[in-house]
Every structure is written in C-alpha cells, then in structure tokens.
Amino acid sequence: MEPTYYWDGLDDTVLDWLNAHALEGQKVRFGASSPTNLDFLHRWGRLKPDIHPDAPGRFRWYVIQNRPSGLSPSDQELLKTRRPALVKRIRRGGWGPWRLDVPVVWVFETER
C-alpha cells in the first residue's frame, strides 16, 4: 500500500511553503505528478512559482510524493543521499493508520 497516491499531501501547508520560498523567476518541479492538476493549481494562483520547463527561470525546488511505485531511480537516490528542506507528514493522533508519522511529501532544494 502506498502512503499517498493522488498528491493529497500537496495541501495548503506545502503550497504556502513553496510560494513563500520560491523567489521571483524560480520554478518548482514535481516528480511523477499530474501535469493537468499542477497546471490548474498554477493558473488558479494556489501555486505561484512556474512549473513549466519551457518557462523562463531556473528550478529551485523539486517535490516528490511518497508513492514508492512512482519513484524514479534518481528520486530514490535523492531520498537516500540528501536532506529535504520540507517534509509533510501524517501526524500521530486519531485512530487507525492516521496514527502513523508517515512522510507524504518531500521538497528538495535544487539550487541556491
């Protein structure tokens, strides 16, 4: 079973963090994502940094969701060797699987 599948971890907390930490002209890249959903988030102003590879600017952040079947070999290497700038987790509390402290989204810096 995968901890997340539909990018449900890409919530207001993560979007607000990305908006606050991407400077003018910096972009955000996503691993194994739905380009249509991300395009809507960008057009609606919820995700302010550009996400399009052909847009001007450099990628500053790389976002991965904890969906093991969607992780590329380079994603797996990144998770093993680098420390993320942000980790969105399911926090302990409640009942059932929600009591687990499981990461659902990682954000890595790609440049300074």
Side-chain angles (χ1 to χ4, degrees):
M1 186 166 167
E2 304 201 293
T4 187
Y5 186 82
Y6 294 107
W7 281 94
D8 43 334
L10 188 61
D11 62 3
D12 287 342
T13 302
V14 178
L15 292 170
D16 291 345
W17 190 94
L18 289 168
N19 291 336
H21 289 85
L23 303 175
E24 185 71 30
Q26 294 178 334
K27 301 185 293 184
V28 178
R29 192 173 130 221
F30 291 81
S33 63
S34 167
T36 303
N37 289 346
L38 293 173
D39 192 48
F40 278 121
L41 287 172
H42 181 66
R43 284 195 277 159
W44 293 338
R46 280 303 298 127
L47 179 60
K48 295 183 188 309
D50 210 317
I51 56 170
H52 301 97
D54 57 343
R58 290 186 168 180
F59 285 106
R60 170 76 189 273
W61 303 107
Y62 181 57
V63 184
I64 305 172
Q65 72 170 333
N66 190 358
R67 179 181 174 203
S69 69
L71 295 175
S72 69
S74 61
D75 291 343
Q76 293 171 14
E77 184 67 20
L78 187 63
L79 288 166
K80 288 178 190 173
T81 61
R82 298 264 313 276
R83 184 171 174 233
L86 176 72
V87 180
K88 171 67 180 183
R89 297 178 177 274
I90 298 173
R91 291 290 176 199
R92 297 176 200 263
W95 58 274
W98 303 111
R99 290 182 4 209
L100 301 175
D101 190 23
V102 177
V104 290
V105 172
W106 296 281
V107 178
F108 291 91
E109 188 170 21
T110 60
E111 68 159 74
R112 283 201 170 233

